[in-house]
């Protein structure tokens, strides 16, 4: 069992930055691939970024490339999402997810169904 707790959300103006954190319980954090998804009101949950348990390779949605950076610290059981150059369309609840031994050879790792554990989410609001 893994419990995930997100933090770091808030309200910023367009062009600003936020750093989200997701703290995981348990001693096997290093064998979980970790991802960030987001969900805006009335919209489907959307993949944002992921980092592999195997080699720390990272994967991004097109909307996040060049602006967001995902990283992890296995010693702290924490995954981060640094978000720069934020836009109003980035406004959403951001959720952290964990997938046991999840690989990213195909596109399955970008689907929410690939992840077993989810946090409650943290709100990000970007004003123009």
């Amino acid at each position: 069992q893994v419990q995930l707790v997100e933090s770091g959300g808030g309200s910023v103006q367009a062009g600003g930055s936020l750093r989200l954190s997701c703290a995981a319980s348990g001693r096997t954090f290093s064998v979980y691939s970790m991802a960030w998804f987001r969900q805006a009101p009335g919209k489907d949950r959307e993949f944002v970024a992921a980092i592999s348990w195997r080699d720390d390779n990272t994967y991004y949605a097109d909307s996040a490339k060049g602006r967001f950076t995902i990283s992890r610290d296995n010693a702290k059981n924490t995954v981060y999402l640094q978000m720069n150059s934020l836009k109003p369309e980035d406004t959403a609840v951001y959720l952290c997810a964990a997938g046991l031994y999840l690989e990213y050879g195909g596109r399955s790792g970008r689907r929410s169904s690939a992840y077993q554990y989810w946090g409650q989410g943290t709100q990000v609001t970007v004003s123009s």
Side-chain angles (χ1 to χ4, degrees):
Q1 189 79 8
V2 175
Q3 291 185 324
L4 304 174
V5 179
E6 302 95 335
S7 62
S11 297
V12 296
Q13 290 191 329
S17 298
L18 283 173
R19 188 193 195 204
L20 306 184
S21 299
C22 172
S25 64
R27 293 178 290 179
T28 59
F29 178 74
S30 62
V31 298
Y32 286 87
S33 287
M34 301 298 296
W36 288 94
F37 286 75
R38 67 187 182 187
Q39 189 161 18
K43 295 189 176 181
D44 292 337
R45 190 167 293 185
E46 174 187 28
F47 171 81
V48 176
I51 185 165
S52 171
W53 72 274
R54 181 184 293 279
D55 50 20
D56 284 352
N57 279 352
T58 56
Y59 306 85
Y60 296 93
D62 288 344
S63 60
K65 285 179 183 176
R67 300 189 300 128
F68 295 2
T69 302
I70 188 171
S71 61
R72 66 189 298 160
D73 185 337
N74 288 343
K76 296 182 178 179
N77 282 13
T78 301
V79 63
Y80 305 97
L81 185 68
Q82 177 67 44
M83 304 188 295
N84 299 327
S85 302
L86 283 162
K87 305 175 182 179
E89 50 263 44
D90 294 318
T91 295
V93 174
Y94 283 71
L95 302 108
C96 175
L100 181 63
Y101 295 120
L102 182 59
E103 303 286 355
Y104 293 91
R107 294 193 64 82
S108 61
R110 295 172 182 256
R111 301 192 187 106
S112 57
S113 58
Y115 298 84
Q116 295 85 30
Y117 301 103
W118 292 83
Q120 292 297 309
T122 186
Q123 176 70 44
V124 171
T125 302
V126 185
S127 58
S128 57

